[in-house]
Amino acid sequence: MTRILFVCLGNICRSPMAQFVMQELVRREGLEDRFEIDSAATSREEIGNLPHYGTRNKLAQMGIPMGAHRARQMTGADYQKYDLLIGMERWNLKAMQRIAGGDPDHKMRLLLDYTARKGDIADPWYTGDFDRTFDDIWEGCQALLRHLTNPRVTE
Ligand code: 4NP
């Protein structure tokens, strides 16, 4: 069982999008039993809120189902529970390390680290561009799943 937590600032735009994309990719491969996938925020801004309309709209447009999710803040206990904690941008990693008290087990990554095109995923809360965010997240999640199911391909 591999447990993955996607993390962004608010847990309403990028990280729930990554959560539902990854759950869909895993479902398409018939690997649901091998993964537990959730998402969380570094901030307290949006706690209890549903995913942003832009995220819900884009997922619906792409035919990707959304489970129930309300924004929650990452905790120190999440660091113990999850095998991988995946941020969307560098600032997320800094905040995640502050919450977890560092990253002694080297579990923290950026989503685009799994792709050839490393870097940050732009925040659609500010850019309004949910299409571009989706493309980045789709590419990142595909690469992540490939990495986890056949590590030698990408290492
Ligand atoms: P997210 O986008 O981190 O992709 O969920 C944001 C959502 C809310 C805020 C910032 C970013 N906010 O400041 O409330």
Side-chain angles (χ1 to χ4, degrees), residues 87-90 110-122 131-144 146 154:
M88 301 294 129
E89 58 176 277
R90 282 174 187 77
L110 288 175
L111 184 55
L112 291 182
D113 281 352
Y114 294 94
T115 72
R117 183 172 50 81
K118 308 197 190 310
D120 294 338
I121 294 177
D131 297 330
R132 171 150 172 248
T133 294
F134 179 86
D135 291 344
D136 283 352
I137 284 173
W138 181 260
E139 186 182 341
C141 286
Q142 296 250 26
L144 171 60
R146 226 177 301 126
T154 49

Side-chain angles (χ1 to χ4, degrees), residues 48-94:
N49 289 341
L50 287 169
H52 190 284
Y53 171 77
T55 286
R56 286 187 275 145
N57 189 44
K58 183 66 190 178
L59 289 171
Q61 181 195 326
M62 302 308 290
I64 296 173
M66 280 193 8
H69 185 78
R70 298 277 180 166
R72 69 175 184 88
Q73 191 178 31
M74 181 190 150
T75 65
D78 286 324
Y79 187 74
Q80 303 305 320
K81 172 177 176 178
Y82 288 91
D83 302 300
L84 278 174
L85 297 96
I86 299 182
M88 301 294 129
E89 58 176 277
R90 282 174 187 77
W91 287 112
N92 300 149
L93 282 184
K94 287 204 190 292

Side-chain angles (χ1 to χ4, degrees), residues 15-80:
S15 62
M17 186 184 277
Q19 171 189 349
F20 295 123
V21 164
M22 193 68 184
Q23 285 173 343
E24 174 69 4
L25 293 176
V26 161
R27 197 159 40 236
R28 288 182 188 181
E29 302 272 332
L31 298 173
E32 297 99 314
D33 295 347
R34 285 179 46 189
F35 291 93
E36 182 176 330
I37 300 162
D38 196 7
S39 64
T42 57
S43 82
R44 305 183 58 82
E45 289 297 325
E46 302 284 347
I47 291 176
N49 289 341
L50 287 169
H52 190 284
Y53 171 77
T55 286
R56 286 187 275 145
N57 189 44
K58 183 66 190 178
L59 289 171
Q61 181 195 326
M62 302 308 290
I64 296 173
M66 280 193 8
H69 185 78
R70 298 277 180 166
R72 69 175 184 88
Q73 191 178 31
M74 181 190 150
T75 65
D78 286 324
Y79 187 74
Q80 303 305 320

Side-chain angles (χ1 to χ4, degrees), residues 8-16 43 45-46 52 88-89 92 122-126:
C8 64
L9 180 59
N11 192 213
I12 57 168
C13 298
R14 293 165 296 176
S15 62
S43 82
E45 289 297 325
E46 302 284 347
H52 190 284
M88 301 294 129
E89 58 176 277
N92 300 149
D123 190 344
W125 174 263
Y126 299 107

